[in-house]
Amino acid sequence: MKLVFMTRVLKISETRPQAAKIRVAARAIRSGGLVVFPTETVYGIGCDAYNKKATAEIYRVKGRPPDNPLMIHVSDMEMARRVGRFPRRYEDAIGKLWPGPVAFVVDAQKGLGRKEVSMRMPDHKVALALIRASNTPIAAPSANISKKPSSTNADHALMYFDGKVDVIIDSGSSMKGIESTILDLRTFALQRPGALPVNELERAFGRRIRIGRASRGLAESKRAIAPGMKYRHYAPAMPLFLYTGKAEKLPRMVSGLKGIFAFIGSYESCRRMRKDAIVLGLGSRRDYDAIAHNLFDRLIELDRTGADFAIAESYGEEGLGLGIMNRLRKASNHRQFSNRRELDALLAGI
Ligand code: TXA
Ligand code: MG
């Protein structure tokens, strides 16, 4: 008889997490299982950070390259200090930002088996309750198969991990929609732009933060420091091309293109798009919160449209725009165009 591994889906209220259901998920963590859980940024696939076997299992089910370390989630500062070394002088700033959508890379304490560690305290009642009830820090990358768009709801996670994890918690869609911002607290270099805008980090710490080309998604670093800095990331299965020119010029540029194409962009641009294009709206161009919130969901939806290829448009890199553009550059695998000639060249290559 073939044994079928069953994934248990637990609906847990985002505002008033039911303790009995949290205990079920925490038992799975304690016994070395994998639990998909919600955070305010994206869903995570988590396990006991000190359990080597469970950690290895996360790499296996995600198909994640072994040199890309997992982020550690904590529920309070005391737990954080047992995992990593936090300089006292930054405690006020960290206190202002945590819980919240920012992770810090610090030197690791002994016991974790690595030199440095990236950590965050999620601003989500279910995530915090799960970590507390598990009574251990939870190692959790985003809940997606390696290279695919991150899950922002339990349906996405079910598509990726049904039958491969013990529990999937369903608490609705993640508020932010893109992953946390990652700051190296030792160098104040940005490792990954994300759901916390850089200017808010600069305000909290009272100093400037270095934004390298790699963190904008423009260059690939040799070492896998943050997701996508080395590997292709967030990519739909169909070819996706990123338009970098003025939004108003796109509708005319795509006239007469052969094949079925999908367009993923702002509501304003969707309204101007060719009538026979499949349009996936992200939100108003003036509302980067909405654009970020919907981005991964629409990237996942792209593959269900049956289109031959897709086009996304660009955004300014102020505020959340930096994180949005980082995701779009990677999702398009740096295939960009600003005029019809460049688009034709890209299409000739598919
Ligand atoms: O919003 C988020 O950060 C989500 C949710 C689930 O919390 N998590 C997430 O995990 O995005 P992940 O693994 O997809 O991205 C975290 C990245 C890792 O890919 C890794 O590159 C970086 O953080 N990281 C982890 N440990 C690190 C370390 N010791 N030094 C430098 N970077 C590290
Ligand atoms: Mg990820």
Side-chain angles (χ1 to χ4, degrees):
M1 197 180 75
K2 197 171 144 222
L3 276 177
V4 180
F5 188 73
M6 289 285 285
T7 294
R8 183 159 176 191
V9 178
L10 291 172
K11 245 191 188 334
I12 302 187
S13 162
E14 185 180 349
T15 47
R16 299 179 61 188
Q18 299 89 335
K21 291 185 187 173
I22 291 288
R23 277 197 298 275
V24 172
R27 264 202 303 277
I29 295 279
R30 300 280 327 161
S31 57
L34 307 191
V35 173
V36 169
F37 64 98
T39 82
E40 81 279 32
T41 55
V42 299
Y43 274 64
I45 172 170
C47 73
D48 177 354
Y50 292 105
N51 187 318
K52 291 224 161 61
K53 248 178 95 179
T55 307
E57 185 63 7
I58 288 186
Y59 280 89
R60 201 183 67 78
V61 299
K62 271 195 68 129
R64 186 178 179 101
D67 62 345
N68 196 357
L70 306 185
M71 185 175 300
I72 310 283
H73 297 68
V74 296
S75 54
D76 54 79
M77 222 35 229
E78 215 184 294
M79 190 185 271
R81 272 194 230 96
R82 285 201 298 271
V83 179
R85 293 171 200 261
F86 290 87
R88 293 269 167 204
R89 63 185 180 284
Y90 299 141
E91 260 174 27
D92 282 354
I94 295 171
K96 281 183 223 158
L97 299 169
W98 272 4
V102 58
F104 300 110
V105 177
V106 295
D107 290 328
Q109 302 281 21
K110 290 195 184 69
L112 206 62
R114 40 174 148 141
K115 265 171 54 193
E116 49 180 32
V117 57
S118 148
M119 292 171 64
R120 79 180 198 96
M121 193 188 292
D123 186 15
H124 196 292
K125 283 186 178 164
V126 175
L128 292 174
L130 175 65
I131 301 164
R132 264 185 231 117
S134 304
N135 196 26
T136 182
I138 293 184
S142 50
N144 54 285
I145 303 294
S146 189
K147 298 187 179 62
K148 293 283 170 195
S150 305
S151 295
T152 56
N153 64 43
D155 286 340
H156 298 156
L158 260 173
M159 171 184 77
Y160 291 132
F161 297 119
D162 193 12
K164 295 182 177 146
V165 299
D166 297 86
V167 174
I168 292 179
I169 298 177
D170 179 356
S171 301
S173 77
S174 291
M175 183 158 95
K176 300 289 183 187
I178 59 174
E179 299 90 342
S180 61
T181 302
I182 305 180
L183 177 70
D184 191 325
L185 259 194
R186 302 159 309 176
T187 59
F188 277 84
L190 188 72
Q191 302 287 10
R192 172 178 75 183
L196 187 78
V198 172
N199 63 320
E200 290 184 36
L201 267 179
E202 291 184 326
R203 192 163 352 118
F205 285 99
R207 55 179 290 178
R208 286 200 62 92
I209 285 165
R210 272 195 308 121
I211 303 174
R213 278 171 60 78
S215 69
R216 289 176 60 204
L218 285 171
E220 304 299 314
S221 81
K222 288 200 191 72
R223 215 160 52 103
I225 296 173
M229 278 177 95
K230 178 173 167 194
Y231 309 102
R232 176 161 177 233
H233 223 79
Y234 315 120
M238 79 175 62
L240 172 69
F241 305 123
L242 180 60
Y243 173 62
T244 56
K246 279 207 166 62
E248 304 76 47
K249 291 194 173 160
L250 188 61
R252 278 199 55 192
M253 205 176 296
V254 298
S255 71
L257 279 185
K258 284 197 199 69
I260 306 168
F261 81 93
F263 173 70
I264 176 165
S266 64
Y267 292 156
E268 291 86 345
S269 297
C270 284
R271 275 196 293 271
R272 281 195 297 264
M273 196 38 67
R274 250 170 64 179
K275 291 285 169 287
D276 60 345
I278 300 166
V279 296
L280 303 175
L282 292 171
S284 167
R285 181 158 268 291
R286 291 184 304 275
D287 185 359
Y288 282 13
D289 288 329
I291 307 264
H293 176 86
N294 294 321
L295 185 61
F296 285 135
D297 183 70
R298 302 301 185 271
L299 283 173
I300 289 171
E301 203 180 328
L302 265 184
D303 285 331
R304 299 176 187 156
T305 61
D308 300 315
F309 64 95
I311 291 174
E313 64 180 344
S314 298
Y315 303 86
E317 285 180 280
E318 68 282 0
L320 278 181
L322 190 66
I324 293 167
M325 284 306 292
N326 167 292
R327 305 310 185 272
L328 283 173
R329 289 193 180 105
K330 292 173 196 301
S332 65
N333 203 13
H334 305 276
R335 287 173 295 189
Q336 308 186 357
F337 68 98
S338 59
N339 57 46
R340 180 61 185 259
R341 190 174 43 79
E342 290 168 357
L343 175 58
D344 284 338
L346 288 171
L347 287 170
I350 62 176

